[in-house]
Amino acid sequence: MAAKHNDLVFSGVQPTGNLHLGNYLGAIVNFVKLQETHSCIYCVVDLHAITMPPSVWGGPEELARSTREVTAAFIAAGIDPKKNIIFNQSQVAGHAELTWVFNCVARIGWLNRMTQFKEKAGKDRENASVGLYDYPVLMASDILVYRATHVPVGEDQKQHLELTRDIAQKFNNDFAESIAARGYGEGFFPLPEPVITGPATRVMSLRDGTKKMSKSDASDYSRINLTDDADTIAQKVRKAKTDPEPLPSEEPGLAQRPEADNLVGIYAALAGKPKANVLAEFGGAQFSQFKSNLVDLAVTRLAPIAGEMKRLTQDPGYVDSVLIDGAARANVIASETMSAVKDIVGFIHKR
Ligand code: AQP
């Protein structure tokens, strides 16, 4: 009989600077909603950040600053650090420890299919870090060391979630007898479900509606950062690429119009309504009018978050205390999983 796993939410964000509207609408907004119905663990994934060269994540001072900034964004967006667990990944050794076990479960052929590695490694694959290649296995460990059942992410992480399920399933199969003998039923690890919802699961660049909005885009005009002030938001939205046609009245009219589709999706997500309602309101309007409404909405929604982030980052002692307290609570759950994994695999350890 398959084991029953209690609902638990886990997700992470990399501390690599420039948290943007895609991170917010694709992931953080859902983190905030899920805390109403679930126990949630939200992690600043600093071990993931160092899979790229230090020139990308900025070196030790910048990594620490970014870690505090992402933590501040979580809290400023409305995640309650008392009700949920907020911590940085490197403080809980179970993530790295379980990764080794999963490295021996995952197959090279599975990792070779990961599109994010191909995109991030680019042409110079031989020179990419082993950590970048192993990134999806670490992500599987992040989720499964808590035996989490639900993972809110943007659409770009869907393939990694499928790999997580494959790793969980293979571990459960490879060690089936040992798992059953120790009373865990048929499935020690749950097969976690991705939670990819809302009208902005893939926010696109403001400069090119076919490219994902991304922290690493060279142009700051491609994204709205959570720390941007009202004037910067207004400038970026006004300069956003569009086409010459007015907005359509119905969703099929957005087909083949990636920039229009993106701006309508952003508006819908910020307003908390479906795209169809936005088009019912703005169908036939010129982009100049729509953009000016979008600026007002974006500033109204984002300015309080930016203000609170600024206040929190000026109090690093408080932010660090949230991370240390969260790590202690996360470690209790992770240690329990690791103790069971060691029993299941056959590693001698102190109980
Ligand atoms: N454009 C996006 N639209 C919707 N969701 C997005 N996410 C990222 N970009 C978009 C979601 O945000 C969460 C945290 O992402 P991350 O920090 O772990 O890393 P990432 O996906 O690598 O972010 P970037 O901006 O795309 O960084 P670079 O430029 O380094 O590649 C995840 O849930 C992600 O899906």
Side-chain angles (χ1 to χ4, degrees), residues 14 20 22-23 120 154 156-157 201 203 212-216:
Q14 290 191 76
H20 53 71
N23 301 129
K120 290 206 168 175
D156 58 327
Q157 292 299 328
T201 54
V203 178
K212 194 184 82 152
M213 184 177 284
S214 146
K215 292 169 185 152
S216 52

Side-chain angles (χ1 to χ4, degrees), residues 11-28 31 43 45 48 52 56 70 74 116 119-120 135 139 151-158 160 195-196 200-205 211-217 223 262:
S11 197
V13 173
Q14 290 191 76
T16 37
N18 293 329
L19 261 189
H20 53 71
L21 197 61
N23 301 129
Y24 179 64
L25 296 177
I28 298 174
F31 297 3
C43 186
V45 291
H48 283 279
M52 295 298 276
V56 173
V70 174
F74 284 174
Q116 184 174 290
E119 282 159 20
K120 290 206 168 175
Y135 183 115
M139 180 165 156
V151 187
V153 280
E155 210 176 271
D156 58 327
Q157 292 299 328
K158 202 171 164 195
H160 287 165
V195 181
I196 303 176
T201 54
R202 189 172 175 82
V203 178
M204 308 309 275
S205 157
K211 263 174 62 187
K212 194 184 82 152
M213 184 177 284
S214 146
K215 292 169 185 152
S216 52
D217 195 310
R223 63 183 160 258
N262 189 37

Side-chain angles (χ1 to χ4, degrees), residues 17-22 204-208 213-215 217-242 259 262-263 266 287 290-292 294-296 298-299 302:
N18 293 329
L19 261 189
H20 53 71
L21 197 61
M204 308 309 275
S205 157
L206 298 181
R207 309 300 294 157
D208 176 352
M213 184 177 284
S214 146
K215 292 169 185 152
D217 195 310
S219 166
D220 202 47
Y221 275 87
S222 68
R223 63 183 160 258
I224 294 175
N225 302 310
L226 286 190
T227 48
D228 283 345
D229 60 22
D231 284 348
T232 312
I233 294 175
Q235 263 182 33
K236 287 179 175 177
V237 172
R238 288 206 187 97
K239 279 193 183 241
K241 188 177 166 198
T242 46
E259 283 84 15
N262 189 37
L263 293 184
I266 291 174
F287 272 103
F290 178 67
K291 281 180 168 180
S292 133
L294 179 55
V295 168
D296 290 346
V299 170
L302 301 179

Side-chain angles (χ1 to χ4, degrees), residues 5 8 14 97 155 186 219 241 257-258 262 268 282 307:
H5 296 281
L8 179 67
Q14 290 191 76
E97 218 177 356
E155 210 176 271
E186 274 178 16
S219 166
K241 188 177 166 198
R257 298 180 65 187
N262 189 37
F282 290 100

